[in-house]
Amino acid sequence: MKAAVLNQIPGELVVEDVTVDKPKGNEVLIQTLHAGLCHSDLHFMEGHWSTKLPAVMGHESAGIVQAVGPDVTYCKPGDRVITCLSLFCGHCDMCLTGHPNVCRNNRMLDRAKDDTPRLTNAAGEGLAQFARLGGFAEEMLIHENAIVKVREEMPLDKASLIGCGVTTGVGAVFRTAKIEPGSTVVIIGCGGIGLSALQGARIAGAGRIFAVDVTSDKLDLAMKLGATDAINGSEVDVVAAIKEATGGMMADYAFECIGLKQTAEQAWAVTGLRGTAVIVGMMPFDAKVEIPGYEIFMQEKTLKGSMMGSNVFRRDMPQYVNMYLDGRLNLDDMVSRHIHLDQINEGYEAMQRREGTRTVINFD
Ligand SMILES: NC(=O)c1ccc[n+]([C@@H]2O[C@H](COP(=O)([O-])OP(=O)(O)OC[C@H]3O[C@@H](n4cnc5c(N)ncnc54)[C@H](O)[C@@H]3O)[C@@H](O)[C@H]2O)c1
Ligand SMILES: [Zn+2]
Ligand SMILES: [Zn+2]
């Protein structure tokens, strides 16, 4: 099968022939039908983060179960599934207290180091699976705790987006921040993650939703998807603009959906009394955020992180599927382009140029 492999950091993806082992134990073999291009992979390709190499990249996929290992109980061949990088062991303190998105033991779900690798390249070398998934591949051999079954009616290209971007963005609003109806919300960065958070805010009944980006086409789409105000950060001072528009009240919640120190600090600055700034973007590994200390206690403000939308993904993803199918969550406008696997670097180059919202790979 073909897969997009990262061999060096920084580096581009190389589409290679990869051999997949048979499922053992709790493993499932998935035929990947679609995979979305999320910015997180790009941080590794650009050298802001490191991971074990060589690795099959990708972590936002949907497909069909082809085969299951002897111990699998959750699914059977033919089931339509979304994958999620929030693998859960089911018995650590985080899993048991409702936070499986930060499971302590998910490395226990990998194959043992002395076992045969799940994937091998043409040179016979074992390949890592980025985020325990490796979704930019025609087939994925993964643990059953990395998948959720979805309804027959759900188109799998849109479903793939739920695998990361939608769950991260909508979940940051519903699960991490738990915003109240009527809240004033600021979304900083209107890519796949930010527009998902924006839609989450609309569905949750936010009163006013400010969309902030530096490209006007993203802001146009943000207005279509429910923003009440658009602010172009390349043209105006974002903090001053929100201060003026709110009469000095500032926002109740801000969601940083880019991954920069500067915009993380901006998310803090645009929230007012008792406000909450949620960091969703993946900052460079060694970045530090600086905020005025006195505001934390005198204004009772909160800085929160959100990992994969604080998901319990087997509960959340079917809910997001329902919201798409009943027309409340617009995923059709979020897919800006379909490509084939061999165009993957082109897709990431477009992301670097800030073009389009979500590019989705079709594996057919
Ligand atoms: N916390 C998590 O669990 C999680 C999960 C997935 C992705 N992420 C991260 O979320 C971030 C967003 O991912 P994405 O796939 O939506 O990326 P994207 O590239 O599609 O979107 C980023 C958006 O930010 C805008 N932007 C860039 N610089 C800006 C600035 N200075 N001011 C305002 N807008 C600016 C771009 O125009 C673009 O619309 C990435 O850092 C990604 O790694 C985090
Ligand atoms: Zn992602
Ligand atoms: Zn766990």
Side-chain angles (χ1 to χ4, degrees):
M1 65 106 173
K2 299 266 188 236
V5 177
L6 188 65
N7 290 299
Q8 58 186 44
I9 291 180
E12 283 212 321
L13 296 171
V14 181
V15 176
E16 297 180 11
D17 281 315
V18 170
T19 304
V20 193
D21 200 17
K22 290 198 168 41
K24 294 183 182 178
N26 292 85
E27 291 172 346
V28 293
L29 181 67
I30 311 289
Q31 180 196 357
T32 317
L33 293 188
H34 299 279
L37 271 57
C38 172
H39 201 121
S40 297
D41 298 71
L42 186 58
H43 294 309
F44 292 83
M45 295 176 226
E46 289 180 336
H48 303 302
W49 281 73
S50 64
T51 187
K52 191 165 174 266
L53 299 179
V56 174
M57 299 301 285
H59 66 277
E60 187 179 271
S61 305
I64 294 180
V65 176
Q66 269 186 309
V68 299
D71 301 332
V72 169
T73 54
Y74 176 67
C75 62
K76 59 180 187 320
D79 284 344
R80 297 151 53 81
V81 297
I82 301 176
T83 66
C84 183
L85 65 81
S86 304
L87 277 76
F88 54 93
C89 76
H91 45 76
C92 74
D93 58 341
M94 290 297 130
C95 284
L96 291 173
T97 54
H99 310 287
N101 63 312
V102 286
C103 170
R104 273 182 211 281
N105 289 335
N106 54 14
R107 79 179 73 85
M108 308 300 283
L109 310 182
D110 294 340
R111 275 195 184 176
K113 285 207 169 62
D114 56 0
D115 201 345
T116 45
R118 287 176 179 162
L119 307 177
T120 24
N121 65 16
E125 190 184 1
L127 290 168
Q129 295 165 300
F130 179 63
R132 304 198 152 79
L133 295 176
F136 295 150
E138 290 172 333
E139 293 175 319
M140 301 168 72
L141 181 61
I142 55 182
H143 194 280
E144 66 176 318
N145 288 7
I147 60 171
V148 57
K149 291 177 275 194
V150 292
R151 286 166 64 179
E152 280 292 318
E153 309 91 302
M154 184 66 193
L156 289 183
D157 60 335
K158 310 302 178 326
S160 68
L161 265 52
I162 295 176
C164 176
V166 170
T167 296
T168 297
V170 177
V173 174
F174 286 13
R175 309 292 185 199
T176 310
K178 300 187 173 79
I179 75 163
E180 302 84 13
S183 306
T184 296
V185 173
V186 180
I187 307 293
I188 304 178
C190 298
I193 309 289
L195 290 175
S196 298
L198 189 150
Q199 294 205 60
R202 187 198 70 229
I203 295 166
R208 200 161 179 188
I209 306 175
F210 290 89
V212 179
D213 206 288
V214 286
T215 40
S216 55
D217 59 334
K218 308 268 184 154
L219 291 171
D220 292 345
L221 183 55
M223 291 301 285
K224 184 175 178 190
L225 295 178
T228 56
D229 302 75
I231 298 177
N232 191 325
S234 69
E235 293 169 358
V236 299
D237 178 330
V238 173
V239 181
I242 290 172
K243 189 170 186 182
E244 193 188 336
T246 59
M249 298 269 285
M250 310 306 282
D252 300 308
Y253 296 94
F255 296 86
E256 198 280 349
C257 303
I258 305 165
L260 297 171
K261 167 187 170 68
Q262 167 216 342
T263 44
E265 291 166 1
Q266 195 173 68
W268 178 266
V270 297
T271 54
L273 275 175
R274 307 206 73 250
T276 301
V278 181
I279 305 300
V280 182
M282 193 170 165
M283 267 175 262
F285 190 73
D286 52 2
K288 304 243 184 330
V289 179
E290 291 169 276
I291 52 176
Y294 81 91
E295 289 183 14
I296 305 172
F297 72 99
M298 286 192 69
Q299 300 180 3
E300 290 201 348
K301 289 176 67 167
T302 305
L303 183 67
K304 267 193 166 182
S306 182
M307 180 61 190
M308 291 297 290
S310 306
N311 75 74
V312 176
F313 75 85
R314 284 193 184 161
R315 171 198 65 189
D316 301 348
M317 290 188 179
Q319 293 183 0
Y320 302 150
V321 164
N322 290 344
M323 287 179 199
Y324 169 75
L325 290 172
D326 69 20
R328 276 180 294 165
L329 187 60
N330 178 341
L331 302 182
D332 296 342
D333 284 323
M334 298 222 347
V335 177
S336 44
R337 192 179 167 202
H338 284 94
I339 59 169
H340 289 291
L341 183 63
D342 57 9
Q343 298 169 291
I344 190 161
N345 287 312
E346 266 175 57
Y348 272 113
E349 284 156 19
M351 182 180 283
Q352 285 172 317
R353 293 193 300 272
R354 301 188 180 130
E355 285 171 18
T357 303
R358 249 332 184 237
T359 300
V360 173
I361 300 171
N362 292 349
F363 289 92
D364 50 24

